[in-house]
Each structure stands twice: as structure tokens, then as C-alpha cells.
Amino acid sequence: MKNVTVGEFIVNTQDNIPGSSGELSKILSAIKLASKIVSHEINKAGLAANIIGAVGSENIQGEEQQKLDLYANEKFINALSARGVICGVASEENESYIAFNNEINNKAKYVVLIDPLDGSSNIDVNVSIGTIFSIFKRKSQGEKPVEISDFLQSGDQQVAAGYIIYGSSTMLVYTTGNGVNGFTFDPGIGVFFLSHPNMKTPKSGEIYSVNEGNLNHFHNGVKKYINYCQSENKEQNKKPYSSRYIGSLVADFHRNLIKGGVYMYPSTKKAPNGKLRLLYECAPLAFIIEQAGGKAISESGRIMDIIPKKLHERTSFFIGSSNMVDTIEQLMNSED
Ligand code: AHG
Ligand code: MN
Ligand code: MN
């Protein structure tokens, strides 16, 4: 496994994917290319004043768009359309999906959903941010432009999902349903190397990640779980867990995946479906955590089972080590 590049790994594992004709490999390769460009730009953010800061516009979800949000959006969409291997893309930054309506792209089998820049509030302060992506096979038949139904599929239908973390190093982590593999970028030679083969998350952990500023507005079951995290039980040899919350989902998720822990974004009265978006934040990370032996649920069941009704649909989200997510589920079920 030593010195295997992500390009070699994709080609070598392509045969494990049923019905693979090399298109999925080309999509992953487009994502890899765009992530290198975005990573380079992010690393310059403190130097070039025209990179950081807000644009002055809001996305469809009423969130202020940052320059890097739009930069990353453009780079990923351009890289994906140029290869002729997907028929359309849906992004957090665009109200509607984009159909790559031309003869070549209409023949393609796949669609991509993407959060091009996750954790945008951390861009200006030199804190880790990320990109999340999800890949489905289109459902509509024929060589026609892609349709909304091609994007509104349950997480279970994903053929691949992954994220890039722009942290102390840049990493690409993805799954095609055969386990999870992580690759670290070597900026000196511009290549991602396999650094974390077959990633598995611990069954239990001692980290909980949640925006505790919202505590008063959480479901009683969630409050009880947070109280349990903070409690000490000498008989069970339980010490209080550590609270760790970066505010970039990718970064919080990545740490907990490796160390064991749980990330929560519950609903509140004001936000009855929480904040995070099902299709390009929760479902792809749910696919990864399940492949790594963990669990992901909403307040009403498994994330991967939810059939979306809207592109930018939100859901409450609890993801991480399976024993921890089980405990939250039990407490939530016993409280309503
Ligand atoms: P994005 O930057 O793509 O809009 O996502 C922000 C998300 C996620 O990254 C993070 O975990 C969460 O928002 C933080 O929300 P709070 O500030 O409400 O805790
Ligand atoms: Mn996000
Ligand atoms: Mn984003």
C-alpha cells in the first residue's frame, strides 16, 4: 500500500464496482483536480485580500456567500462538466440543479451533489474547512437532460460519497461502498497518497460535538444525552467526555471518525429540521460513517433511508460511533 496515489487506487479498485465502465473513476478524478485548485487558493487566503470575505449576496437558503464559496463552486462544477461523465450537478450555492445539456453529457449515467465549501464562517479565521460530495446514478432514461427526480434519491442509492478537508494538511476521504479510504495531499509534488487505508471508526468514543449555545432549544432526549456526556460514573468507570466543536462539519466529522465520538445538529423549535442539508451534507457523511462501522440518524430514523422531497431539504443529524448514536436514539425515543 505504500506510496499508492489516489489515481492508482481509483483505477485498481474500479473492478470492484459492479457495472463500472470507468466513468465513476473519471468523476473522482475531476473532484480530485478541483480540490487541488481549491486547496491552493485556500492556502493563500491570508495573503490575497481579494480571496477572503463576503461577496454581498446570499444563497437560496438566506446564507451570506463568501468569495471562496463561489470560487470553489465554480471550480468543482467546471471540472465536473468538462469530463463529460455526469449529466448534471446540484450545489448548496445554486437554487436549482444544473443540467449539462449537451450531446455528450446527456449520455452520462451519473449526477453529483456538492457542498463546495463547508464551514464557510471559518474561512477568514484560518480554521479547517471542507468540501462534501455525493454521487448517484441518474434514474431518468434516455439521452435527455437530467431531471429533478435524478437528484431526489435516498442516501442508500449513493454509488460514492466523500469529502475533502482543508486542514493542517489536505485530505480526500471517500467510499464507493467497499469501505472508506483516506488520502493525504503532498503539496510538494501535487499528489494525494493513500495514508488511511480501510478506515474504521471506534464503536465508542469520548468526544461530543454540538453547538451548545442552542442547548435550551433542544429536544429533552438530546438534553439528557448531553447531560450524560458531561457526567461522571465511577462504577462504570465513565469520565466526562470532551466537548469539541469546530463549526465546520467536515472537520468535526473527520476528527470524530478517527478518534471516536459523536456529532449532533438537533432540531429546535425555530428550525424544526435542524440546519444541515440532507443531500450534500448528511447523506454522504452517513454513507461514509456506515462504511466505517458507525451510525447516522435523524430524530426520526436512519439518514440513509430518507427520501428527499426538495434539493435543499434539511434534517436533524446525529452521526458517529455506533454505541454513542444508539444511546442518543434510546434517550430520544424514551422522551416523546
Ligand atoms: P456551510 O458553511 O456549508 O453553510 O455549512 C455550515 C454548517 C456546518 O459546516 C457546521 O457544522 C454548521 O454549519 C455550524 O453551524 P452553527 O454555527 O449553527 O453551529
Ligand atoms: Mn456545509
Ligand atoms: Mn457550504
Side-chain angles (χ1 to χ4, degrees):
M1 281 295 186
K2 221 168 166 254
N3 292 337
V4 177
T5 70
V6 70
E8 289 163 353
F9 187 87
I10 290 170
V11 171
N12 293 343
T13 52
Q14 189 174 297
D15 295 343
N16 303 337
I17 304 166
S20 171
S21 54
E23 283 173 76
L24 188 57
S25 304
K26 288 188 188 143
I27 300 171
L28 291 168
S29 152
I31 290 172
K32 178 185 77 175
L33 173 69
S35 74
K36 287 185 198 176
I37 298 169
V38 171
S39 177
H40 183 70
E41 201 67 12
I42 287 169
N43 288 337
K44 289 194 306 197
L47 294 171
N50 59 347
I51 297 172
I52 58 171
V55 191
S57 57
E58 286 184 346
N59 66 16
I60 177 68
Q61 297 156 75
E63 296 160 344
E64 191 180 60
Q65 290 180 307
Q66 304 295 312
K67 289 176 190 160
L68 269 175
D69 279 327
L70 298 185
Y71 180 87
N73 195 36
E74 190 191 306
K75 294 300 165 202
F76 279 101
I77 292 177
N78 287 351
L80 286 164
S81 71
R83 308 257 167 141
V85 283
I86 62 169
C87 41
V89 65
S91 162
E92 181 194 356
E93 302 305 332
N94 299 100
E95 176 170 359
S96 187
Y97 64 88
I98 299 167
F100 299 143
N101 186 10
N102 61 53
E103 215 181 306
I104 298 171
N105 289 80
N106 283 344
K107 283 191 184 133
K109 290 201 292 271
Y110 296 98
V111 296
V112 172
L113 293 110
I114 191 158
D115 177 354
L117 221 289
D118 172 67
S120 9
S121 67
N122 281 325
I123 295 170
D124 294 359
V125 289
N126 220 336
V127 173
S128 299
I129 49 186
T131 297
I132 311 173
F133 61 91
S134 169
I135 306 175
F136 289 97
K137 268 207 174 118
R138 74 185 291 178
K139 281 162 71 182
S140 53
Q141 304 287 319
E143 294 168 12
K144 292 178 303 190
V146 69
E147 296 166 11
I148 182 71
S149 59
D150 296 319
F151 296 93
L152 300 184
Q153 303 192 50
S154 70
D156 259 340
Q157 303 299 312
Q158 289 174 100
V159 288
Y163 62 87
I164 297 118
I165 175 167
Y166 312 100
S168 45
S169 59
T170 295
M171 273 190 77
L172 166 66
V173 175
Y174 79 91
T175 182
T176 54
N178 271 312
V180 182
N181 291 284
F183 303 82
T184 302
F185 186 59
D186 182 336
I189 43 179
V191 173
F192 282 97
F193 285 107
L194 180 62
S195 52
H196 296 62
N198 196 19
M199 296 171 85
K200 292 287 170 209
T201 197
K203 289 270 165 242
S204 289
E206 294 182 349
I207 294 174
Y208 71 105
S209 309
V210 63
N211 185 340
E212 280 182 89
N214 298 327
L215 181 72
N216 289 343
H217 306 284
F218 292 157
H219 190 288
N220 277 341
V222 178
K223 285 185 187 162
K224 277 201 169 162
Y225 182 70
I226 293 174
N227 190 269
Y228 168 79
C229 291
Q230 296 167 341
S231 68
E232 184 164 358
N233 186 325
K234 290 219 166 84
E235 276 158 38
Q236 289 170 12
N237 201 18
K238 180 187 176 296
K239 292 189 287 243
Y241 295 162
S242 289
S243 165
R244 295 279 183 273
Y245 190 73
I246 295 170
S248 291
L249 171 61
V250 167
D252 281 306
F253 175 83
H254 182 72
R255 179 201 55 241
N256 292 359
L257 170 69
I258 291 174
K259 295 194 168 184
V262 68
Y263 176 95
M264 301 177 264
Y265 211 108
S267 68
T268 59
K269 278 213 181 71
K270 262 197 187 159
N273 295 314
K275 174 184 184 186
L276 300 176
R277 278 61 50 109
L278 173 65
L279 278 165
Y280 43 81
E281 292 183 315
C282 305
L285 297 185
F287 189 16
I288 292 171
I289 204 76
E290 288 195 3
Q291 285 291 316
K295 239 181 127 164
I297 59 166
S298 72
E299 279 157 22
S300 43
R302 184 172 169 255
I303 289 287
M304 297 273 274
D305 289 334
I306 305 174
I307 299 168
K309 294 188 187 65
K310 292 189 303 194
L311 216 46
H312 300 288
E313 183 165 323
R314 296 174 196 264
T315 176
S316 55
F317 194 43
F318 304 84
I319 187 165
S321 295
S322 55
N323 291 345
M324 300 174 89
V325 177
D326 283 342
T327 309
I328 298 168
E329 198 166 25
Q330 281 156 18
L331 286 171
M332 285 196 298
N333 289 340
S334 66
E335 276 297 317
D336 47 25

